[in-house]
């Protein structure tokens, strides 16, 4: 196991001053985790950044973060490359316009460590996604062990998103699929959830934790939904196999 428990990873491409609250929330969560005894690596991935984004994250205030330049133009591929660069045992991603609750890293690490000690293959998610800005709603996550979890739901919606905590080795074994909206393919986090569940991983919820997700009028997720894109063909989603997913 790595001497570093957690790599906190912020991904950015066009954000600048809007990331002020994001980085403040990240530092608060890191401080909370360190006070609880966890070691944390700070990592920023700049995926084809705008000049304003590069200038903002190039500030000396972020000199305690390791910065990685990428040319992916794809969130999933960027996360794959950052997973390879990370040194922590567990990885926690944060988009540069979203926020973590202060206790997220601490409680997620405690939950996933307890699962590992019990020999369980576990990926953890916050209990709530609080969506704000141009949209306003709250998504309550469903634990995979809950009687409310139904694999058929994946035909229509995604239970979980990419802002989870998982072992680095999990990300290396199951890299995110690339987006290709021109061919009608997107929702790489939905596909990742299905692939990891089919691979024997259990998605668990960490009570009393929140990720605040900014939803603007236009985003990759909104555009993908509007264009009715889908995920790639997966054996686990076949009509004669879907009932076995997660069982």
């Amino acid at each position: 196991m790595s001497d570093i428990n957690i790599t906190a990873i912020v991904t950015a491409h066009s954000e600048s001053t809007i990331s002020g609250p994001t980085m403040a929330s990240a530092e608060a969560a890191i401080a909370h985790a360190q006070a609880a005894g966890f070691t944390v690596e700070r990592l920023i991935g700049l995926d084809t950044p705008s000049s304003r984004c590069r200038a903002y994250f190039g500030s000396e205030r972020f000199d305690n973060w390791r910065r990685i330049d990428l040319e992916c133009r794809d969130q999933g591929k960027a996360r794959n490359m950052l997973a390879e660069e990370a040194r922590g045992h567990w990885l926690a991603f944060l988009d540069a316009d979203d926020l973590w609750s202060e206790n997220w890293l601490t409680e997620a690490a405690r939950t996933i460590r307890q699962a590992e000690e019990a020999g369980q293959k576990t990926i953890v998610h916050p209990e709530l996604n609080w969506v704000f800005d141009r949209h306003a709603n709250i998504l309550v996550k469903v634990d995979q062990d809950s009687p409310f979890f139904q694999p058929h739901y994946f035909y229509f919606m995604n239970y979980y998103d990419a802002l989870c905590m998982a072992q680095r080795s999990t990300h290396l074994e199951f890299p995110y699929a690339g987006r290709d909206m021109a061919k009608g393919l997107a929702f790489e986090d939905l596909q990742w959830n299905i692939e990891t569940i089919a691979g024997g991983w259990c998605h668990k919820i960490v009570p009393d934790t929140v990720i605040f997700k900014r939803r603007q009028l236009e985003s990759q997720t909104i555009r993908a939904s509007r264009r009715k894109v889908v995920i790639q063909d997966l054996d686990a989603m076949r009509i004669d196999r879907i009932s076995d997913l997660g069982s």
Side-chain angles (χ1 to χ4, degrees), residues 148-197:
F148 295 106
F149 176 86
Q150 296 294 329
H152 294 80
Y153 184 80
F154 285 123
Y155 280 140
F156 309 100
M157 295 288 289
N158 189 7
Y159 272 123
Y160 319 109
D161 60 35
L163 303 188
C164 61
M165 181 179 286
Q167 291 182 11
R168 175 176 179 266
S169 59
T170 307
H171 284 283
L172 297 182
E173 181 180 0
F174 297 96
Y176 287 101
R179 284 175 177 260
D180 191 343
M181 286 202 280
K183 293 183 179 179
L185 299 173
F187 302 123
E188 74 284 347
D189 50 357
L190 170 58
Q191 180 166 331
W192 189 81
N193 292 328
I194 295 166
E195 289 175 333
T196 52
I197 292 172

